[in-house]
Structure formats: structure tokens, C-alpha cells
Amino acid sequence: MNSPYITDNNLIEKILSNKAVEIHLQPIVSIRTKSIFAYESLTRCRFEGKMIPPQILFELANKANLSSQLDEMTRQLAIKKFHTYYKKNNKELLFLNVEADIINNFEKEKLGFIDLITKLNIPFKNFILEIKEDEIENIEALEKFCKYFKGLGFGIALDDFGTGNSNFYRLNVISPDIIKIDKSLFTATSKRIINKEIVKSISKMSQNLGIKVLAEGVEDFNSISMAMKAGINLFQGYYFSKPKDSFNHEEFLEIITLINKTGNEFKDKVLNSIKKKRDTIGKFDQIAINMINGNKSIEEIHQYLNRNFKYYNEIEAIYIIDVLSSKQIKDTILDESISGMYNITSDGDEHYLKEYFYITMETKKGIYLSNRYVSFATGNVCKTFAKKFDLNGVSYILCLDIIIEKN
């Protein structure tokens, strides 16, 4: 721990004795319901005119074996603050962080905040206990902790899921109600497509298991849009609001207005995306027609494509599939500059399990445009446009791999 605060060995004792800890709340919003879904309580500390970062504060407490006292103090303060919000809207929830040390050494008798909740007459179901499972070593204690609090009616949330040492096995142990996807998956734009697939996978898995998904740390519209496309509805981050000591009526209205604005912007983006997809389909349908028309055989089409491939700057690969056999006719026509390390399909290769084959066969118009994917043939991000056509009484599918983003 490299911090100027560590030089004072009695600092944490002074902070606790002076109760120099305060709670800020950060809204968690639901775009679908256009409302504030919950708040997360976040610890802040100012002592002797200096702000002490939460991480340092809890490290000090851990070093002095005072984690339990600090953890309990922060929860008590958070519950008291939340009580005023609950009285205004009894459907709102409060996320309470629980330090790993508390779970590793779980003893329910030492957790007095339950008495406070009961005294304030707030149902246990209005609280979500937030844990970082990758920091918890005692699996038996983790299971015991989760079963005990879920039995009382508390919800359980997994924090920072999807990075570090997140363990899918522990989902069986914890049975979380909410998974919070780590903010790094929404901010590392250099690995955007990889992150998108991770987010989509976590979201789909969670929805299939009946677990809500929350995107945390969102700071821009693109991150929110990416999450919403993956089916995520709950959001937390500076984009909507920084943590605050309190919120006045005008600030509430600003958050609600921003939620509505974000929902409308996403809807407009989806509609624009649909229009662009239609335009793309129309454009490459005409390109495919031009490739096919005027040629009397597959051999002539291949000769034409080989001669003119260099003029199709947006296309990285072209190949033709025989519908009856679902096998490729002749080798893929490909940019010669493409590295040989990738898997390039060739004459006789089977395609019957590929979406662009069987979906094209099922569509009325016999055309299909895939979603973005990383091509096995080139390593580039691309989409495949497929068009069914008949020639000399035989049905074929012409496939055009369109470059979206070069590797």
C-alpha cells in the first residue's frame, strides 16, 4: 500500500471513533421502465481536511483487523440514508457492498444491520448484497452466507463479473439475482468486438438462468447501446449520475429525462440500423445480380469473378454453394494479400450448417445478410451476403463476404 495515510498507524481508529465516514448514493436506472431501479451505497471519507479513497480506507481497516467494524458502520449509515428514499418510493432497492473478509469469516451474529432494517420497518427484499466472488477464498462460507441472506429475502449481486478470476462454477453456489458486468468490457474500445461477444454471452446465459444483468461504469451512449443490443436493461455509471450525498427534486427529474432521451436515441439508432441493413441488402443484391447475369454457366461466372474481383473493394471473398449437395463449387476467390494462416474454404467443402446457407434457403426472397463476425478466412470483421439463384435448372447460393473492419 503506497499511501501517505499509511504512516499513521492509528488513523483508522481515529476515523471510526469520530465516525468520519459518509455514504453517497449512485442511481441504478432501468431504461425499459424509465425509472430509477435502485441505488448503490458508496463509502466516502474526509478526515482532517483530506479525502481518503475508499480502497485505502478498507485496506487500513483490514490491516488493523477492523474490517468488520468499518463494514458494519458503512452499512448502518447506508440503511439510514436509504430509509428516506424508501419512504418516498417503497419499490426502490439499495445495493450494499459486503467485503470479502466478512464473508470468508461469516458469523451472522456479528451482522447487526439486520436489526436496524427491522427497526426501520423496511422489507429485506429491498436490499441487494453485492459481493466480489473472485476475492472470496472460503467457498463453504460463501455458500452459507448466500443461503442465509437469500433465505431472509435479501437479493445477491455479483460485482465485476466477466473479468479477473470470475468463476462460472460459483454461480451454482451463489445463485445470484443480479450480475453486474465489469465496466472494462464497455470501455476497452480497442477490443470492441471481443467485448461485445463476452457481454452478449453473459447476458444470454443470465437471462436463461433468470438472472438480471446490470452494466456498470457506463460513461457514454455507445457503451449503453452495446449493452442494450445484448438485452441489458439496467445501468449504473457517470453517464446517468455520479454518486452524491443527496439528490434534490430537480436532479431526479434530470436523471429521468436522460433515461427517456437515451431510450429514444437507442430506438432511433435501431431504426437507422434497420434502414442501413435494408440499403446494404439492396446494394449487394444488385451487385450479385450483375455478377450472375450474362453468364451461361458456373464456369463462366467464376471466370468473370476472377477477372473482376479486384474492382469489388468492399468484398474480401466470394464463393458459390450447390444447393442440392450444400457443397462449395470451386475454390474461394480471395484477395491474394490475405495471410495463409486462416482457414479458407475450397472446392467441395460442406456448408449445410452455416446460417447463410440454410437461412437463405428458407427466406422467400432467397437473400440473407448475416450479423458481424470475425472471418475464419481473413481474420477481418465482416458480414456475409448470400443470394439464391438458378442456372440451367440447378440452384446455387452466391456468397459475398463484405469487409466491415480490417484486422
PDB file of all heavy atoms in Angstrom, residues 31 183 186-189 192 215-228 235-240 258 262 265 269:
ATOM      1  N   ILE A  31     -33.864   1.528 -18.212  1.00  0.00           N
ATOM      2  CA  ILE A  31     -34.335   2.261 -19.393  1.00  0.00           C
ATOM      3  C   ILE A  31     -35.695   1.735 -19.827  1.00  0.00           C
ATOM      4  O   ILE A  31     -36.541   2.491 -20.312  1.00  0.00           O
ATOM      5  CB  ILE A  31     -33.295   2.168 -20.529  1.00  0.00           C
ATOM      6  CG1 ILE A  31     -32.019   2.899 -20.087  1.00  0.00           C
ATOM      7  CG2 ILE A  31     -33.830   2.760 -21.830  1.00  0.00           C
ATOM      8  CD1 ILE A  31     -30.916   2.915 -21.107  1.00  0.00           C
ATOM      9  N   LYS A 183     -17.103  -2.829 -15.856  1.00  0.00           N
ATOM     10  CA  LYS A 183     -17.073  -1.678 -16.753  1.00  0.00           C
ATOM     11  C   LYS A 183     -15.999  -1.781 -17.829  1.00  0.00           C
ATOM     12  O   LYS A 183     -16.131  -1.164 -18.897  1.00  0.00           O
ATOM     13  CB  LYS A 183     -16.873  -0.390 -15.951  1.00  0.00           C
ATOM     14  CG  LYS A 183     -15.538  -0.308 -15.213  1.00  0.00           C
ATOM     15  CD  LYS A 183     -15.444   0.985 -14.416  1.00  0.00           C
ATOM     16  CE  LYS A 183     -14.126   1.087 -13.669  1.00  0.00           C
ATOM     17  NZ  LYS A 183     -14.033   2.333 -12.887  1.00  0.00           N
ATOM     18  N   PHE A 186     -17.019  -2.455 -21.317  1.00  0.00           N
ATOM     19  CA  PHE A 186     -17.721  -1.413 -22.064  1.00  0.00           C
ATOM     20  C   PHE A 186     -16.814  -0.249 -22.446  1.00  0.00           C
ATOM     21  O   PHE A 186     -17.219   0.630 -23.194  1.00  0.00           O
ATOM     22  CB  PHE A 186     -18.899  -0.865 -21.240  1.00  0.00           C
ATOM     23  CG  PHE A 186     -19.896  -1.914 -20.859  1.00  0.00           C
ATOM     24  CD1 PHE A 186     -19.913  -2.445 -19.583  1.00  0.00           C
ATOM     25  CD2 PHE A 186     -20.804  -2.392 -21.785  1.00  0.00           C
ATOM     26  CE1 PHE A 186     -20.815  -3.429 -19.230  1.00  0.00           C
ATOM     27  CE2 PHE A 186     -21.725  -3.368 -21.446  1.00  0.00           C
ATOM     28  CZ  PHE A 186     -21.723  -3.884 -20.170  1.00  0.00           C
ATOM     29  N   THR A 187     -15.580  -0.253 -21.943  1.00  0.00           N
ATOM     30  CA  THR A 187     -14.707   0.888 -22.194  1.00  0.00           C
ATOM     31  C   THR A 187     -13.497   0.560 -23.058  1.00  0.00           C
ATOM     32  O   THR A 187     -12.893   1.446 -23.636  1.00  0.00           O
ATOM     33  CB  THR A 187     -14.194   1.475 -20.865  1.00  0.00           C
ATOM     34  OG1 THR A 187     -13.547   0.444 -20.111  1.00  0.00           O
ATOM     35  CG2 THR A 187     -15.351   2.028 -20.047  1.00  0.00           C
ATOM     36  N   ALA A 188     -13.120  -0.723 -23.169  1.00  0.00           N
ATOM     37  CA  ALA A 188     -11.929  -1.097 -23.955  1.00  0.00           C
ATOM     38  C   ALA A 188     -12.298  -1.166 -25.435  1.00  0.00           C
ATOM     39  O   ALA A 188     -12.514  -2.223 -26.002  1.00  0.00           O
ATOM     40  CB  ALA A 188     -11.380  -2.440 -23.476  1.00  0.00           C
ATOM     41  N   THR A 189     -12.365  -0.004 -26.065  1.00  0.00           N
ATOM     42  CA  THR A 189     -12.842   0.073 -27.446  1.00  0.00           C
ATOM     43  C   THR A 189     -11.922  -0.640 -28.432  1.00  0.00           C
ATOM     44  O   THR A 189     -12.358  -1.044 -29.503  1.00  0.00           O
ATOM     45  CB  THR A 189     -12.995   1.545 -27.879  1.00  0.00           C
ATOM     46  OG1 THR A 189     -11.747   2.223 -27.663  1.00  0.00           O
ATOM     47  CG2 THR A 189     -14.079   2.236 -27.086  1.00  0.00           C
ATOM     48  N   ARG A 192     -13.345  -4.058 -29.058  1.00  0.00           N
ATOM     49  CA  ARG A 192     -14.791  -3.883 -29.060  1.00  0.00           C
ATOM     50  C   ARG A 192     -15.549  -5.155 -29.420  1.00  0.00           C
ATOM     51  O   ARG A 192     -16.485  -5.552 -28.738  1.00  0.00           O
ATOM     52  CB  ARG A 192     -15.158  -2.772 -30.050  1.00  0.00           C
ATOM     53  CG  ARG A 192     -16.481  -2.097 -29.770  1.00  0.00           C
ATOM     54  CD  ARG A 192     -16.418  -1.278 -28.511  1.00  0.00           C
ATOM     55  NE  ARG A 192     -17.563  -0.412 -28.409  1.00  0.00           N
ATOM     56  CZ  ARG A 192     -17.791   0.382 -27.386  1.00  0.00           C
ATOM     57  NH1 ARG A 192     -16.952   0.415 -26.392  1.00  0.00           N
ATOM     58  NH2 ARG A 192     -18.847   1.147 -27.345  1.00  0.00           N
ATOM     59  N   ALA A 215     -25.206  -3.336 -16.366  1.00  0.00           N
ATOM     60  CA  ALA A 215     -23.956  -2.807 -16.928  1.00  0.00           C
ATOM     61  C   ALA A 215     -23.487  -1.662 -16.043  1.00  0.00           C
ATOM     62  O   ALA A 215     -24.169  -0.643 -15.926  1.00  0.00           O
ATOM     63  CB  ALA A 215     -24.188  -2.319 -18.362  1.00  0.00           C
ATOM     64  N   GLU A 216     -22.325  -1.852 -15.423  1.00  0.00           N
ATOM     65  CA  GLU A 216     -21.844  -0.808 -14.516  1.00  0.00           C
ATOM     66  C   GLU A 216     -20.670  -0.044 -15.132  1.00  0.00           C
ATOM     67  O   GLU A 216     -19.974  -0.541 -16.016  1.00  0.00           O
ATOM     68  CB  GLU A 216     -21.444  -1.392 -13.166  1.00  0.00           C
ATOM     69  CG  GLU A 216     -20.238  -2.311 -13.173  1.00  0.00           C
ATOM     70  CD  GLU A 216     -19.829  -2.735 -11.772  1.00  0.00           C
ATOM     71  OE1 GLU A 216     -20.147  -2.005 -10.818  1.00  0.00           O
ATOM     72  OE2 GLU A 216     -19.200  -3.797 -11.640  1.00  0.00           O
ATOM     73  N   GLY A 217     -20.506   1.180 -14.656  1.00  0.00           N
ATOM     74  CA  GLY A 217     -19.397   2.002 -15.128  1.00  0.00           C
ATOM     75  C   GLY A 217     -19.608   2.595 -16.509  1.00  0.00           C
ATOM     76  O   GLY A 217     -18.644   3.025 -17.137  1.00  0.00           O
ATOM     77  N   VAL A 218     -20.858   2.648 -16.984  1.00  0.00           N
ATOM     78  CA  VAL A 218     -21.099   3.184 -18.327  1.00  0.00           C
ATOM     79  C   VAL A 218     -20.925   4.703 -18.312  1.00  0.00           C
ATOM     80  O   VAL A 218     -21.447   5.390 -17.440  1.00  0.00           O
ATOM     81  CB  VAL A 218     -22.494   2.799 -18.856  1.00  0.00           C
ATOM     82  CG1 VAL A 218     -22.569   1.316 -19.149  1.00  0.00           C
ATOM     83  CG2 VAL A 218     -23.600   3.188 -17.872  1.00  0.00           C
ATOM     84  N   GLU A 219     -20.186   5.190 -19.287  1.00  0.00           N
ATOM     85  CA  GLU A 219     -19.878   6.621 -19.322  1.00  0.00           C
ATOM     86  C   GLU A 219     -20.233   7.279 -20.649  1.00  0.00           C
ATOM     87  O   GLU A 219     -20.048   8.488 -20.795  1.00  0.00           O
ATOM     88  CB  GLU A 219     -18.387   6.833 -19.014  1.00  0.00           C
ATOM     89  CG  GLU A 219     -17.993   6.364 -17.617  1.00  0.00           C
ATOM     90  CD  GLU A 219     -16.545   6.657 -17.284  1.00  0.00           C
ATOM     91  OE1 GLU A 219     -15.846   7.243 -18.135  1.00  0.00           O
ATOM     92  OE2 GLU A 219     -16.102   6.303 -16.171  1.00  0.00           O
ATOM     93  N   ASP A 220     -20.713   6.516 -21.628  1.00  0.00           N
ATOM     94  CA  ASP A 220     -21.087   7.117 -22.908  1.00  0.00           C
ATOM     95  C   ASP A 220     -22.219   6.317 -23.541  1.00  0.00           C
ATOM     96  O   ASP A 220     -22.502   5.181 -23.159  1.00  0.00           O
ATOM     97  CB  ASP A 220     -19.891   7.173 -23.864  1.00  0.00           C
ATOM     98  CG  ASP A 220     -19.259   5.816 -24.089  1.00  0.00           C
ATOM     99  OD1 ASP A 220     -19.931   4.938 -24.659  1.00  0.00           O
ATOM    100  OD2 ASP A 220     -18.092   5.619 -23.689  1.00  0.00           O
ATOM    101  N   PHE A 221     -22.853   6.941 -24.528  1.00  0.00           N
ATOM    102  CA  PHE A 221     -24.021   6.324 -25.161  1.00  0.00           C
ATOM    103  C   PHE A 221     -23.658   5.039 -25.896  1.00  0.00           C
ATOM    104  O   PHE A 221     -24.440   4.083 -25.912  1.00  0.00           O
ATOM    105  CB  PHE A 221     -24.683   7.310 -26.130  1.00  0.00           C
ATOM    106  CG  PHE A 221     -25.818   6.710 -26.903  1.00  0.00           C
ATOM    107  CD1 PHE A 221     -27.045   6.471 -26.295  1.00  0.00           C
ATOM    108  CD2 PHE A 221     -25.657   6.340 -28.237  1.00  0.00           C
ATOM    109  CE1 PHE A 221     -28.094   5.885 -27.002  1.00  0.00           C
ATOM    110  CE2 PHE A 221     -26.695   5.765 -28.949  1.00  0.00           C
ATOM    111  CZ  PHE A 221     -27.919   5.549 -28.324  1.00  0.00           C
ATOM    112  N   ASN A 222     -22.487   4.993 -26.519  1.00  0.00           N
ATOM    113  CA  ASN A 222     -22.100   3.801 -27.275  1.00  0.00           C
ATOM    114  C   ASN A 222     -22.019   2.566 -26.366  1.00  0.00           C
ATOM    115  O   ASN A 222     -22.395   1.460 -26.773  1.00  0.00           O
ATOM    116  CB  ASN A 222     -20.758   4.022 -27.977  1.00  0.00           C
ATOM    117  CG  ASN A 222     -20.878   4.958 -29.163  1.00  0.00           C
ATOM    118  OD1 ASN A 222     -21.948   5.079 -29.753  1.00  0.00           O
ATOM    119  ND2 ASN A 222     -19.797   5.626 -29.504  1.00  0.00           N
ATOM    120  N   SER A 223     -21.520   2.745 -25.145  1.00  0.00           N
ATOM    121  CA  SER A 223     -21.462   1.638 -24.197  1.00  0.00           C
ATOM    122  C   SER A 223     -22.861   1.152 -23.851  1.00  0.00           C
ATOM    123  O   SER A 223     -23.129  -0.055 -23.775  1.00  0.00           O
ATOM    124  CB  SER A 223     -20.738   2.066 -22.921  1.00  0.00           C
ATOM    125  OG  SER A 223     -19.394   2.415 -23.189  1.00  0.00           O
ATOM    126  N   ILE A 224     -23.766   2.101 -23.649  1.00  0.00           N
ATOM    127  CA  ILE A 224     -25.144   1.751 -23.306  1.00  0.00           C
ATOM    128  C   ILE A 224     -25.827   1.060 -24.477  1.00  0.00           C
ATOM    129  O   ILE A 224     -26.524   0.052 -24.311  1.00  0.00           O
ATOM    130  CB  ILE A 224     -25.921   3.014 -22.884  1.00  0.00           C
ATOM    131  CG1 ILE A 224     -25.338   3.567 -21.584  1.00  0.00           C
ATOM    132  CG2 ILE A 224     -27.408   2.729 -22.726  1.00  0.00           C
ATOM    133  CD1 ILE A 224     -25.795   4.943 -21.227  1.00  0.00           C
ATOM    134  N   SER A 225     -25.596   1.583 -25.671  1.00  0.00           N
ATOM    135  CA  SER A 225     -26.184   0.983 -26.874  1.00  0.00           C
ATOM    136  C   SER A 225     -25.704  -0.450 -27.059  1.00  0.00           C
ATOM    137  O   SER A 225     -26.485  -1.362 -27.365  1.00  0.00           O
ATOM    138  CB  SER A 225     -25.824   1.824 -28.101  1.00  0.00           C
ATOM    139  OG  SER A 225     -26.302   1.218 -29.283  1.00  0.00           O
ATOM    140  N   MET A 226     -24.409  -0.665 -26.859  1.00  0.00           N
ATOM    141  CA  MET A 226     -23.831  -2.002 -26.967  1.00  0.00           C
ATOM    142  C   MET A 226     -24.495  -2.957 -25.975  1.00  0.00           C
ATOM    143  O   MET A 226     -24.830  -4.106 -26.307  1.00  0.00           O
ATOM    144  CB  MET A 226     -22.333  -1.924 -26.697  1.00  0.00           C
ATOM    145  CG  MET A 226     -21.621  -3.251 -26.530  1.00  0.00           C
ATOM    146  SD  MET A 226     -19.861  -2.950 -26.195  1.00  0.00           S
ATOM    147  CE  MET A 226     -19.415  -4.445 -25.310  1.00  0.00           C
ATOM    148  N   ALA A 227     -24.706  -2.488 -24.749  1.00  0.00           N
ATOM    149  CA  ALA A 227     -25.328  -3.324 -23.721  1.00  0.00           C
ATOM    150  C   ALA A 227     -26.796  -3.596 -24.046  1.00  0.00           C
ATOM    151  O   ALA A 227     -27.276  -4.723 -23.881  1.00  0.00           O
ATOM    152  CB  ALA A 227     -25.202  -2.643 -22.360  1.00  0.00           C
ATOM    153  N   MET A 228     -27.506  -2.579 -24.516  1.00  0.00           N
ATOM    154  CA  MET A 228     -28.930  -2.758 -24.824  1.00  0.00           C
ATOM    155  C   MET A 228     -29.124  -3.733 -25.982  1.00  0.00           C
ATOM    156  O   MET A 228     -30.083  -4.514 -25.995  1.00  0.00           O
ATOM    157  CB  MET A 228     -29.569  -1.406 -25.138  1.00  0.00           C
ATOM    158  CG  MET A 228     -29.690  -0.496 -23.935  1.00  0.00           C
ATOM    159  SD  MET A 228     -30.553   1.057 -24.275  1.00  0.00           S
ATOM    160  CE  MET A 228     -32.250   0.480 -24.428  1.00  0.00           C
ATOM    161  N   PHE A 235     -28.572  -0.066 -15.755  1.00  0.00           N
ATOM    162  CA  PHE A 235     -27.323   0.659 -15.977  1.00  0.00           C
ATOM    163  C   PHE A 235     -26.937   1.474 -14.753  1.00  0.00           C
ATOM    164  O   PHE A 235     -27.780   2.026 -14.054  1.00  0.00           O
ATOM    165  CB  PHE A 235     -27.450   1.595 -17.182  1.00  0.00           C
ATOM    166  CG  PHE A 235     -27.679   0.869 -18.467  1.00  0.00           C
ATOM    167  CD1 PHE A 235     -28.964   0.583 -18.898  1.00  0.00           C
ATOM    168  CD2 PHE A 235     -26.612   0.442 -19.241  1.00  0.00           C
ATOM    169  CE1 PHE A 235     -29.182  -0.112 -20.075  1.00  0.00           C
ATOM    170  CE2 PHE A 235     -26.816  -0.251 -20.420  1.00  0.00           C
ATOM    171  CZ  PHE A 235     -28.112  -0.529 -20.842  1.00  0.00           C
ATOM    172  N   GLN A 236     -25.605   1.568 -14.564  1.00  0.00           N
ATOM    173  CA  GLN A 236     -25.050   2.372 -13.484  1.00  0.00           C
ATOM    174  C   GLN A 236     -23.761   3.006 -13.998  1.00  0.00           C
ATOM    175  O   GLN A 236     -22.923   2.322 -14.579  1.00  0.00           O
ATOM    176  CB  GLN A 236     -24.757   1.493 -12.267  1.00  0.00           C
ATOM    177  CG  GLN A 236     -24.114   2.217 -11.104  1.00  0.00           C
ATOM    178  CD  GLN A 236     -23.787   1.275  -9.954  1.00  0.00           C
ATOM    179  OE1 GLN A 236     -24.070   0.084 -10.023  1.00  0.00           O
ATOM    180  NE2 GLN A 236     -23.197   1.802  -8.893  1.00  0.00           N
ATOM    181  N   GLY A 237     -23.619   4.297 -13.804  1.00  0.00           N
ATOM    182  CA  GLY A 237     -22.390   4.934 -14.253  1.00  0.00           C
ATOM    183  C   GLY A 237     -22.521   6.437 -14.334  1.00  0.00           C
ATOM    184  O   GLY A 237     -23.611   7.003 -14.184  1.00  0.00           O
ATOM    185  N   TYR A 238     -21.387   7.079 -14.595  1.00  0.00           N
ATOM    186  CA  TYR A 238     -21.348   8.536 -14.642  1.00  0.00           C
ATOM    187  C   TYR A 238     -22.219   9.113 -15.752  1.00  0.00           C
ATOM    188  O   TYR A 238     -22.583  10.293 -15.708  1.00  0.00           O
ATOM    189  CB  TYR A 238     -19.907   9.013 -14.829  1.00  0.00           C
ATOM    190  CG  TYR A 238     -19.048   8.936 -13.582  1.00  0.00           C
ATOM    191  CD1 TYR A 238     -19.533   8.364 -12.418  1.00  0.00           C
ATOM    192  CD2 TYR A 238     -17.754   9.443 -13.575  1.00  0.00           C
ATOM    193  CE1 TYR A 238     -18.757   8.293 -11.276  1.00  0.00           C
ATOM    194  CE2 TYR A 238     -16.955   9.381 -12.435  1.00  0.00           C
ATOM    195  CZ  TYR A 238     -17.471   8.799 -11.290  1.00  0.00           C
ATOM    196  OH  TYR A 238     -16.690   8.731 -10.154  1.00  0.00           O
ATOM    197  N   TYR A 239     -22.523   8.327 -16.764  1.00  0.00           N
ATOM    198  CA  TYR A 239     -23.370   8.831 -17.847  1.00  0.00           C
ATOM    199  C   TYR A 239     -24.709   9.323 -17.291  1.00  0.00           C
ATOM    200  O   TYR A 239     -25.231  10.345 -17.728  1.00  0.00           O
ATOM    201  CB  TYR A 239     -23.617   7.728 -18.882  1.00  0.00           C
ATOM    202  CG  TYR A 239     -24.482   8.156 -20.053  1.00  0.00           C
ATOM    203  CD1 TYR A 239     -23.924   8.799 -21.150  1.00  0.00           C
ATOM    204  CD2 TYR A 239     -25.859   7.915 -20.043  1.00  0.00           C
ATOM    205  CE1 TYR A 239     -24.719   9.190 -22.218  1.00  0.00           C
ATOM    206  CE2 TYR A 239     -26.658   8.301 -21.109  1.00  0.00           C
ATOM    207  CZ  TYR A 239     -26.086   8.939 -22.186  1.00  0.00           C
ATOM    208  OH  TYR A 239     -26.881   9.339 -23.240  1.00  0.00           O
ATOM    209  N   PHE A 240     -25.238   8.592 -16.318  1.00  0.00           N
ATOM    210  CA  PHE A 240     -26.521   8.980 -15.740  1.00  0.00           C
ATOM    211  C   PHE A 240     -26.352   9.841 -14.494  1.00  0.00           C
ATOM    212  O   PHE A 240     -27.079  10.799 -14.297  1.00  0.00           O
ATOM    213  CB  PHE A 240     -27.345   7.733 -15.405  1.00  0.00           C
ATOM    214  CG  PHE A 240     -27.822   6.997 -16.625  1.00  0.00           C
ATOM    215  CD1 PHE A 240     -27.191   5.841 -17.044  1.00  0.00           C
ATOM    216  CD2 PHE A 240     -28.884   7.483 -17.376  1.00  0.00           C
ATOM    217  CE1 PHE A 240     -27.618   5.169 -18.178  1.00  0.00           C
ATOM    218  CE2 PHE A 240     -29.315   6.824 -18.502  1.00  0.00           C
ATOM    219  CZ  PHE A 240     -28.678   5.666 -18.926  1.00  0.00           C
ATOM    220  N   LEU A 258     -32.904  12.126 -18.814  1.00  0.00           N
ATOM    221  CA  LEU A 258     -31.782  11.499 -19.516  1.00  0.00           C
ATOM    222  C   LEU A 258     -32.088  10.036 -19.853  1.00  0.00           C
ATOM    223  O   LEU A 258     -31.714   9.545 -20.924  1.00  0.00           O
ATOM    224  CB  LEU A 258     -30.519  11.587 -18.658  1.00  0.00           C
ATOM    225  CG  LEU A 258     -29.225  11.050 -19.282  1.00  0.00           C
ATOM    226  CD1 LEU A 258     -28.961  11.697 -20.643  1.00  0.00           C
ATOM    227  CD2 LEU A 258     -28.045  11.280 -18.355  1.00  0.00           C
ATOM    228  N   THR A 262     -32.114   8.716 -23.619  1.00  0.00           N
ATOM    229  CA  THR A 262     -31.268   7.586 -24.011  1.00  0.00           C
ATOM    230  C   THR A 262     -32.090   6.495 -24.690  1.00  0.00           C
ATOM    231  O   THR A 262     -31.665   5.921 -25.705  1.00  0.00           O
ATOM    232  CB  THR A 262     -30.561   6.997 -22.775  1.00  0.00           C
ATOM    233  OG1 THR A 262     -29.820   8.036 -22.125  1.00  0.00           O
ATOM    234  CG2 THR A 262     -29.609   5.882 -23.169  1.00  0.00           C
ATOM    235  N   GLU A 265     -32.952   7.681 -28.164  1.00  0.00           N
ATOM    236  CA  GLU A 265     -31.774   7.641 -29.038  1.00  0.00           C
ATOM    237  C   GLU A 265     -31.462   6.211 -29.470  1.00  0.00           C
ATOM    238  O   GLU A 265     -31.085   5.963 -30.616  1.00  0.00           O
ATOM    239  CB  GLU A 265     -30.571   8.255 -28.324  1.00  0.00           C
ATOM    240  CG  GLU A 265     -30.623   9.766 -28.220  1.00  0.00           C
ATOM    241  CD  GLU A 265     -29.396  10.342 -27.526  1.00  0.00           C
ATOM    242  OE1 GLU A 265     -28.503   9.560 -27.142  1.00  0.00           O
ATOM    243  OE2 GLU A 265     -29.330  11.571 -27.364  1.00  0.00           O
ATOM    244  N   LYS A 269     -31.459   4.729 -33.190  1.00  0.00           N
ATOM    245  CA  LYS A 269     -30.275   4.036 -33.707  1.00  0.00           C
ATOM    246  C   LYS A 269     -30.658   2.677 -34.287  1.00  0.00           C
ATOM    247  O   LYS A 269     -30.139   2.276 -35.334  1.00  0.00           O
ATOM    248  CB  LYS A 269     -29.242   3.856 -32.586  1.00  0.00           C
ATOM    249  CG  LYS A 269     -27.927   3.240 -33.063  1.00  0.00           C
ATOM    250  CD  LYS A 269     -26.880   3.243 -31.965  1.00  0.00           C
ATOM    251  CE  LYS A 269     -25.566   2.663 -32.490  1.00  0.00           C
ATOM    252  NZ  LYS A 269     -24.488   2.704 -31.469  1.00  0.00           N
TER     253      LYS A 269
END
